[in-house]
Amino acid sequence: MPREFRKIKGTPRKEALSMDEIIPLFIKSRGLSAGLNTQRVFAAWDEVSGVSEFTLRKFYRDGKLYVSLSSSMIRSQLEFQKDSVLCSINDFLLKDKLFDKECPKVGLVKEIILR
C-alpha cells in the first residue's frame, strides 16, 4: 500500500486530503489508469455523439476510437461531423476528473473510425 494511504501510529497528522485528491492517487498507484481511461473514452462517445442506442461496439487502440453503428444513415451523418465530435470528446475527457491525462497507454482520442 502506498505511503500516502498508510497511517503511521504516533506520527502527527499532516493534512487531510479530499476524496477528489485521494481517488486519482489510488487509481495511479494501482495501475488502473489505462483501463479507466478507456472506459471514460467510451462514456465520452456515448455522451457527446448522442447515438449510443445505435452503437453496437466500441474499441480503442493507439489513439483511435473504432465505433460500429447499426444504422448506415447515422454513420454517414457522423462522417460529416467527425471533427466536431472528436473535439467534443476530448473536451469532455479534459474536464473529467477521473481521466488521467498523463497515462502513456490511453490518452486523448486522435481519430474516430466509423464502421
Side-chain angles (χ1 to χ4, degrees), residues 35-92:
L36 183 62
N37 276 4
T38 302
Q39 293 304 311
R40 300 312 302 154
V41 168
F42 295 158
W45 166 262
D46 290 340
E47 183 73 26
V48 169
S49 70
V51 295
S52 61
E53 66 265 13
F54 298 103
T55 303
L56 299 174
R57 286 181 301 278
K58 297 171 275 202
F59 180 73
Y60 183 82
R61 177 180 282 165
D62 298 328
K64 296 179 183 176
L65 176 60
Y66 298 86
V67 180
S68 296
L69 298 165
S70 62
S71 171
S72 60
M73 183 187 297
I74 291 174
R75 182 174 45 251
S76 64
Q77 287 277 333
L78 284 173
E79 281 292 339
F80 294 110
Q81 302 172 355
K82 264 206 288 198
D83 291 334
S84 67
V85 171
L86 179 66
C87 289
S88 297
I89 286 173
N90 287 332
D91 288 342
F92 182 90

Side-chain angles (χ1 to χ4, degrees), residues 92-105:
F92 182 90
L93 292 173
L94 290 172
K95 292 176 186 172
D96 188 349
K97 291 182 180 183
L98 293 178
F99 186 77
D100 182 9
K101 299 159 200 62
E102 300 166 3
C103 180
K105 293 181 181 177

Side-chain angles (χ1 to χ4, degrees), residues 1-6 22-36 100 105:
M1 184 172 259
R3 182 170 283 173
E4 299 94 35
F5 300 116
R6 289 187 204 153
I22 291 174
I23 291 174
L25 286 174
F26 180 76
I27 290 169
K28 285 180 185 179
S29 71
R30 296 291 183 200
L32 303 172
S33 294
L36 183 62
D100 182 9
K105 293 181 181 177

